Amino acid sequence: MVALASVVTAVGTATGMLSALDDGHGSDRARPEFTHTTSPAPLPPVPSASAPPTPTVSPSVKKESTRPGPSPTRSERRERTAVLPHRLYRHPDSQVLDWVRAHPDDPRAALIESRIANQPAAVWFTDHTPATIASRVRAVTSAAAARGRVPVLVPYAIPDCDCGGASQGGAPDLAAYDAWIDAFAQGLGSGEVVVVLEPDSIAQSDCLPAADRADRFASLARAGRVLKAADPGARVYYDAGHSGWNPADRQAALLRQAGAASPASSDGIFSNVSNFRTTADEIAYDRQVLDTLGGPAGFGAVIDTSRNGNGAPADGEWCDPAGRRLGRTPTLNTGERRIDAYLWVKPPGESDGCRAAAGTFTPSYAYELARSVSSS
């Protein structure tokens, strides 16, 4: 599901991170190991009429509407979950920032800088070495806290990452992964942090034998508990795939098995990581998953809007498809019931592996994405 992305030396990848108001080159110069890109799973048949309504999931997915989602009603406003109080953090080292700094005279640089490099995005952690992970996480969280910002962190080291796909890898076994999570948690500090826990680890879990899947889910449930116990300000979200993947009831059942319905482990779900489904479709889908999942009324969802401005391609292409656009800018205040944030989890402009090596920043792709910004 996840194509291997950019290789670096110290932290997961960020596309921007520090708010545009920050001038940002402090001592927290951490470099991602690589980012990733999620490809959709082989699309299953259209769910039966008894399943909760979901978008068509055949390869000939109809073109999705780019209209903004419906505005919340007054009752929905009263039901909204509390939003995090601070702005998101833009990490000062990323491939896009490196390119902008190195190419000030490129005619594309100003647009790429203003619409991509200056936006906050997630920091990926993919090196499963326990000895260094705490310090690498701490470099990001302490820098964010010093600026009063909220970092978005993506632990991505579960064994059998991507089930042998382009981003295969991860810890050698679940015992090593558990130790890595323990060390990861030590770096969180005590401030507000958003954790997007292991993209694809649940939605794609059918690639594992039943016993291995159960063991993975037990480790994910444990990971959430460890992260939240280490930092009461951490909000941990679990993998819900996206609206064109598993039907909402099936995804909710998988999430429950992974501990995502327990407030000791979870604050809700994430969807659309590295994908292109419209924000409106993801809002509807995530609410269906949350309603079926159970758990506290305060559970919410975060949506990756980094490349969904034009929705998903009609032909189902996932690898650097043409005609895509940036989606809604990252925010912790969506104005939508049960939707906690729009995030740029996949760094825009980094290739899925077709325009360049997976994870490589590609200025032509970034410029294409940035030329028009949609509100889908």
Side-chain angles (χ1 to χ4, degrees):
M1 281 300 44
V2 184
L4 187 65
S6 47
V7 177
V8 288
T9 58
V11 170
T13 267
T15 8
M17 290 205 152
L18 209 34
S19 149
L21 297 178
D22 285 332
D23 53 14
H25 293 293
S27 59
D28 59 323
R29 294 179 63 85
R31 295 295 265 165
E33 311 261 338
F34 62 77
T35 56
H36 94 317
T37 182
T38 302
S39 60
L43 294 175
V46 178
S48 68
S50 62
T54 57
T56 301
V57 292
S58 68
S60 56
V61 179
K62 67 180 180 180
K63 186 164 182 166
E64 303 172 71
S65 168
T66 58
R67 293 189 308 248
S71 297
T73 63
R74 270 184 198 162
S75 62
E76 286 176 331
R77 289 190 187 102
R78 287 196 296 270
E79 294 173 28
R80 259 183 224 145
T81 57
V83 297
L84 297 175
H86 306 299
R87 285 174 291 180
L88 291 162
Y89 175 66
R90 181 179 71 92
H91 190 58
D93 280 317
S94 66
Q95 288 191 77
V96 62
L97 281 168
D98 286 348
W99 183 86
V100 167
R101 292 166 189 147
H103 298 85
D105 298 326
D106 191 296
R108 302 167 295 184
L111 186 66
I112 291 173
E113 180 177 22
S114 65
R115 291 191 174 173
I116 296 179
N118 285 342
Q119 294 297 332
V123 184
W124 290 73
F125 298 84
T126 63
D127 181 351
H128 61 265
T129 307
T132 58
I133 187 62
S135 62
R136 291 186 284 121
V137 173
R138 189 176 300 112
V140 177
T141 58
S142 61
R147 293 164 172 79
R149 309 299 164 89
V150 178
V152 178
L153 312 179
V154 185
Y156 189 68
I158 198 82
D160 299 313
C161 280
D162 200 24
C163 291
S167 291
Q168 60 185 295
D173 54 47
L174 288 172
Y177 179 73
D178 292 346
W180 186 83
I181 284 290
D182 291 345
F184 190 106
Q186 293 171 17
L188 291 178
S190 59
E192 301 278 8
V193 177
V194 173
V195 180
V196 175
L197 181 63
E198 297 292 344
D200 290 347
S201 60
I202 298 173
Q204 196 188 18
S205 60
D206 280 350
C207 72
L208 301 173
D212 292 348
R213 184 166 59 248
D215 290 343
R216 171 183 283 194
F217 287 171
S219 271
L220 288 171
R222 178 189 182 278
R225 291 194 302 271
V226 168
L227 295 168
K228 289 182 66 63
D231 178 6
R235 295 178 65 86
V236 179
Y237 295 89
Y238 279 69
D239 172 37
H242 59 71
S243 59
W245 200 336
N246 293 320
D249 57 347
R250 169 158 175 72
Q251 190 62 39
L254 294 171
L255 283 157
R256 276 194 298 275
Q257 294 172 47
S262 168
S265 296
S266 170
D267 293 278
I269 62 174
F270 64 83
S271 73
N272 208 43
V273 167
S274 295
N275 218 274
F276 305 93
R277 313 297 291 193
T278 65
T279 303
D281 281 353
E282 292 307 295
I283 289 172
Y285 176 72
D286 289 348
R287 286 173 178 165
Q288 289 176 3
V289 173
L290 288 167
D291 288 346
T292 308
L293 175 65
F299 270 15
V302 299
I303 299 170
D304 186 352
T305 59
S306 59
R307 304 187 298 177
N308 72 344
N310 277 352
D315 62 2
E317 178 59 59
W318 63 267
C319 187
D320 299 334
R324 300 313 97 199
R325 295 290 181 266
L326 301 175
R328 298 187 186 186
T329 55
T331 181
L332 293 168
N333 188 1
T334 69
E336 292 285 352
R337 179 178 62 87
R338 303 201 81 175
I339 307 301
D340 293 349
Y342 302 137
L343 304 174
W344 284 7
V345 183
K346 164 70 178 181
E350 293 191 8
S351 175
D352 297 327
C354 291
R355 301 190 188 215
T360 303
F361 178 74
T362 310
S364 60
Y365 187 27
Y367 186 69
E368 181 180 325
L369 290 168
R371 279 183 303 177
S372 86
V373 181
S374 172
S375 61
S376 74

